[in-house]
């Protein structure tokens, strides 16, 4: 678990710039947001099939730069 956390964080620090926008398909409850670089200021869009995960994500990690959508990435989705 700790190794995976460090590895994911390392990848994000390498590839996500300060203003990079992020799309996460299969976002679950938005755990990726906990791993983002501290100075990250981009927008985040998380998509998941589970309404329960999306509700949890909106409550715990919602903000002006984060959007969570329940649905399939292949569909024509509108934010909300």
């Amino acid at each position: 678990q700790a190794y995976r956390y460090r590895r994911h964080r390392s990848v994000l620090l390498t590839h996500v710039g300060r203003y990079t926008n992020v799309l996460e398909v299969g976002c679950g409850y938005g755990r990726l947001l906990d791993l983002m670089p501290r100075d990250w200021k981009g927008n985040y869009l998380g998509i998941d099939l589970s309404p329960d995960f999306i509700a949890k994500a909106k409550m715990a990690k919602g903000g002006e730069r984060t959007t969570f959508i329940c649905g399939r990435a292949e569909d024509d989705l509108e934010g909300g």
Side-chain angles (χ1 to χ4, degrees):
Q1 181 84 3
Y3 170 77
R4 184 180 295 165
Y5 175 88
R6 286 192 308 272
R7 179 72 179 132
H8 289 173
R9 185 137 171 80
S10 171
V11 168
L12 290 172
L13 290 171
T14 302
H15 296 288
V16 175
R18 185 172 186 171
Y19 296 101
T20 301
N21 294 324
V22 174
L23 166 64
E24 184 178 18
V25 177
C27 68
Y29 55 87
R31 179 181 159 276
L32 181 69
L33 289 168
D34 296 335
L35 303 174
M36 298 303 284
R38 287 185 183 20
D39 67 343
W40 178 68
K41 303 288 184 205
N43 294 306
Y44 172 91
L45 171 59
I47 301 172
D48 201 280
L49 292 172
S50 168
D52 293 336
F53 276 146
I54 292 298
K56 242 184 195 180
K58 285 180 177 179
M59 286 181 59
K61 308 203 186 293
E64 76 177 49
R65 293 188 340 258
T66 59
T67 302
F68 294 97
I69 298 173
C70 184
R72 292 169 30 101
E74 298 88 356
D75 295 340
D76 183 17
L77 300 174
E78 293 183 1

